Amino acid sequence: MTRFPSGVGSADWHRELDRLELVSRFPETARNLFDEGPHLVSTPDLPWGDAVREASVEAYRRFIHGETWITGGGAREMEAEIVRWMGRLLGAEEPAGFVTSGGSESNMCAILTARQLSGRRTGSVVYPDNGHYSLPKLCAMFGLDPVPVPAPAEGLHLVDPAAIEAAIRPDTVALIATAGTWAYGSVDPIEAMSEIARRRGLYLHVDGAFGGYILPFLERSGYDPGIPPWDFRLPGVCSISADLHKNGMAPPPAGTLFFRDASLLAAAKEICPPNGTMSGTRGTGPIAGAWTMVKLLGEAGYTAVSLASMAMRDELAAGVGEIDGLSVYPGSRINMSLIHSGTLDLRPVADELRARGWMFAARAVPAPVGIVVVPMPHNHGQIPHFLDDLRDAVRLAVPLNGDADEAERESVSSYGF
């Protein structure tokens, strides 16, 4: 048996890898109804899934030892091609930008750019309170005050543009909107926010981590021609983040940040030299894997992926609607659904579903908990099984006693449960 310099035998090493893969639940990917996993697999709808995924992994492997400083020439070309192709689909004539580690870094870089352009070292950032948790985090890191604006009473997925404008302070450096909110899947009224930003001379960033790589294809395919304008077609939008490792189908970590033009990228590089990114050293493996997905899928492939994901979302929503006491929260325009109840405490239901092997995220708003699912191609064929288990597990739900405040204190508001 081969032994490595540390003394570990190759057989022992393989056994430990096997154990860690099982602990990570990689073999159960089909039952992961969130946003991780290989994304593309062979299905009747996507027969090329495995071929594209394997090509992406091969590119990742071939570039795994590179970084974007000295050995990054090829990856920089790949990055530029991703930005040019997707940025134009998002409505920019001459887009600029870069590949990031994900939505949090993209949001951070965008707001640092806004602060740099404002000439301020401190200030405030205004956004609807359905925004991602990275927003208050980046404000705390960068000496900015977060100003979350509560949702109107009519619905948690809604945003009142007048309330957004009323929250603007003399020291506000940016507005942030979301295209594909967590966990409602809704799109903020970005057209109205764009007009506010233009009128008030403010930077507007759109967090499209979930929606960025699906909304354009749903609109262009005709599946949802009524998607409201949200991208660079609106003159007030300065930057857009979109995650390749979510609906972009690429292996993580891979996000993208697009700027309307090179002048905004130049401002990002001033505050975060030399690339505009938070990281100095960036591995080329994720860029190569992401570029392969973009190159081999193209608009036709991403359209097929998007339609397949939405078909599962629609199947799920229809099934949930037939279960007494459950509903899907309104407003979703992407492949994300929040299953909740106004009369039942679903925490025992979520526990039971997890015990049966399902992987999903949870949301404490509305209280006490909702079940968040994001169907993707690797979930093909699983929705009927999930609905069967959900129908059975609902019998464990406890009627709400009306003390929503107490229920909320006992629940969670993050991705975990």
Side-chain angles (χ1 to χ4, degrees):
M1 178 179 67
T2 301
R3 288 198 174 273
F4 297 104
S6 65
V8 175
S10 59
D12 292 335
W13 175 72
H14 280 290
R15 277 193 295 271
E16 182 65 356
L17 278 184
D18 289 343
R19 183 188 71 80
L20 292 170
E21 281 194 6
L22 290 172
V23 169
S24 302
R25 304 184 67 181
F26 291 161
E28 304 172 63
T29 294
R31 295 170 69 82
N32 182 353
L33 287 163
F34 187 44
D35 70 309
E36 303 300 332
H39 301 308
L40 286 174
V41 294
S42 291
T43 75
D45 293 324
L46 303 173
W48 35 258
D50 276 337
V52 175
R53 178 166 61 90
E54 289 166 6
S56 178
V57 171
E58 170 67 7
Y60 200 120
R61 184 191 67 79
R62 290 180 62 171
F63 280 77
I64 199 167
H65 297 293
E67 41 67 46
T68 55
W69 287 87
I70 305 301
T71 56
R76 289 195 296 272
E77 286 188 24
M78 295 174 186
E79 180 177 55
E81 189 168 353
I82 293 170
V83 170
R84 184 168 55 250
W85 179 73
M86 192 63 194
R88 287 176 177 168
L89 281 179
L90 293 173
E93 293 183 5
E94 295 295 334
F98 41 75
V99 173
T100 68
S101 62
S104 292
E105 183 185 2
S106 297
N107 289 342
M108 290 177 183
C109 293
I111 297 311
L112 276 176
T113 303
R115 195 188 70 174
Q116 177 74 2
L117 289 168
S118 75
R120 305 184 64 91
R121 308 317 301 162
T122 60
S124 61
V125 177
V126 176
Y127 56 91
D129 68 356
N130 61 25
H132 190 250
Y133 68 76
S134 64
L135 305 186
K137 178 170 71 174
L138 67 86
C139 287
M141 293 172 65
F142 303 146
L144 299 167
D145 289 337
V147 184
V149 179
E154 308 91 87
L156 296 168
H157 65 294
L158 300 175
V159 174
D160 180 2
I164 295 290
E165 184 157 21
I168 295 172
R169 305 185 332 199
D171 68 351
T172 297
V173 302
L175 306 180
I176 303 178
T178 305
T181 60
W182 174 260
Y184 314 113
S186 56
V187 176
D188 289 347
I190 299 172
E191 188 168 17
M193 293 180 68
S194 168
E195 174 56 30
I196 293 169
R198 292 272 287 179
R199 182 160 26 85
R200 302 294 289 268
L202 292 172
Y203 188 106
L204 173 59
H205 170 63
V206 176
D207 179 359
F210 270 103
Y213 280 91
I214 188 169
L215 287 168
F217 307 106
L218 297 179
E219 180 182 356
R220 292 164 73 91
S221 69
Y223 172 88
D224 187 356
I227 293 172
W230 65 275
D231 55 17
F232 290 120
R233 289 172 293 180
L234 300 174
V237 173
C238 298
S239 56
I240 297 172
S241 61
D243 277 3
L244 284 152
H245 60 214
K246 291 187 174 69
N247 282 311
M249 299 290 121
T256 36
L257 179 61
F258 304 96
F259 294 102
R260 176 177 290 279
D261 56 44
S263 68
L264 294 172
L265 175 60
K269 291 180 177 181
E270 287 177 5
I271 191 69
C272 291
N275 303 307
T277 58
M278 297 294 294
S279 327
T281 299
R282 296 185 296 151
T284 56
I287 296 174
W291 172 82
T292 300
M293 279 291 177
V294 167
K295 192 78 171 175
L296 300 187
L297 287 181
E299 185 171 346
Y302 275 115
T303 297
V305 167
S306 300
L307 294 177
S309 296
M310 294 302 285
M312 286 185 280
R313 187 210 69 167
D314 295 343
E315 180 184 10
L316 177 79
V320 170
E322 296 175 354
I323 302 174
D324 287 344
L326 298 187
S327 62
V328 170
Y329 206 85
S332 177
R333 311 224 52 155
I334 62 171
N335 55 327
M336 182 182 293
S337 296
L338 173 64
I339 302 168
H340 76 115
S341 175
T343 58
L344 300 172
D345 182 344
L346 298 184
R347 285 174 289 185
V349 178
D351 287 339
E352 176 65 15
L353 289 171
R354 289 190 190 278
R356 296 187 185 198
W358 295 104
M359 291 171 268
F360 51 85
R363 172 80 170 181
V365 182
V369 75
I371 296 167
V372 186
V373 294
V374 186
M376 289 188 176
H378 62 267
N379 303 126
H380 179 79
Q382 294 297 312
I383 300 302
H385 304 305
F386 177 79
L387 288 169
D388 286 344
D389 282 349
L390 179 61
R391 289 187 195 97
D392 191 45
V394 165
R395 62 186 169 78
L396 302 174
V398 179
L400 289 172
N401 60 16
D403 190 354
D405 289 340
E406 181 63 29
E408 188 166 1
R409 281 197 294 274
E410 294 177 0
S411 59
V412 295
S413 59
S414 65
Y415 287 174
F417 178 75

